[in-house]
Amino acid sequence: MIQLVRTNSEDKMFQKLVNLLDAELAKRDGDDHEFYHQFNAISNIKHAIVIYKDNEAVGCGAIKHFDSESMEVKRMYTLPVSRGHGIASQILMELEAWSKELGYTSCVLETGKKQPEAIHLYKKNGYHITRNYGQYEGIENSVCFRKEL
């Protein structure tokens, strides 16, 4: 049984999954990890999702205010043993629905070129590559996306 739980950054399961995400990204990003890590603090995230499969937390994601029209998708992660089963797409759809409920009309996000699975996920779910924004402008390893809701 799959259960999506809306929560925030104080949720212990969300924190645990984000720690696993950070460990994986540190390996993938290597020397670039510290640059990206500075933009991924989870304190004060008001809108997070934890997805449970058979009462086990297997994935997470979050959104935060980006601008008057957009929420930024952050901290997407699925346990390696649960990948390939649509978990990340379910989290993403719930984050998009939540964004719409909050009155936003689009979502933006950034991922790295060293994360081809993430790039595939976002393209598969209707996100389009856009010009790198904010702190990611001019960063060669960053790929930014946008989706109109």
Side-chain angles (χ1 to χ4, degrees):
M1 181 178 86
I2 297 288
Q3 181 185 14
L4 286 157
V5 176
R6 290 183 177 188
T7 187
N8 59 43
S9 60
E10 294 179 11
D11 185 287
K12 297 299 181 200
M13 283 290 121
F14 178 70
Q15 293 172 8
K16 178 181 175 182
L17 291 164
V18 166
N19 286 335
L20 293 170
L21 168 63
D22 286 338
E24 183 174 324
L25 291 176
K27 289 178 188 172
R28 286 189 187 220
D29 291 335
D31 293 340
D32 294 334
H33 181 68
E34 284 307 312
F35 170 78
Y36 291 105
H37 189 67
Q38 68 181 320
F39 305 117
N40 289 324
I42 63 168
S43 59
N44 302 317
I45 288 183
K46 297 175 185 164
H47 306 97
I49 300 284
V50 175
I51 190 167
Y52 293 84
K53 182 176 180 185
D54 300 326
N55 296 316
E56 179 188 354
V58 297
C60 66
I63 48 176
K64 70 175 193 173
H65 173 82
F66 180 73
D67 63 27
S68 62
E69 300 173 354
S70 307
M71 288 295 258
E72 184 177 25
V73 176
K74 304 291 288 181
R75 312 312 343 216
M76 289 286 297
Y77 181 73
T78 304
L79 292 175
V81 298
S82 296
R83 293 177 187 168
H85 301 284
I87 300 289
S89 290
Q90 289 180 51
I91 294 167
L92 196 54
M93 286 186 281
E94 184 69 14
L95 292 171
E96 292 166 1
W98 203 354
S99 295
K100 285 175 72 171
E101 288 171 25
L102 293 168
Y104 293 87
T105 58
S106 63
C107 285
V108 299
L109 61 90
E110 181 275 341
T111 193
K113 290 181 180 176
K114 296 176 183 174
Q115 299 170 54
E117 305 91 342
I119 291 170
H120 175 74
L121 167 74
Y122 299 128
K123 286 181 175 180
K124 178 177 81 172
N125 281 280
Y127 284 77
H128 301 283
I129 294 175
T130 187
R131 186 173 66 75
N132 286 7
Y133 57 81
Q135 64 267 26
Y136 307 112
E137 286 183 32
I139 304 301
E140 180 64 29
N141 184 48
S142 288
V143 182
C144 292
F145 288 87
R146 179 179 191 87
K147 180 179 180 180
E148 299 302 319
L149 303 174

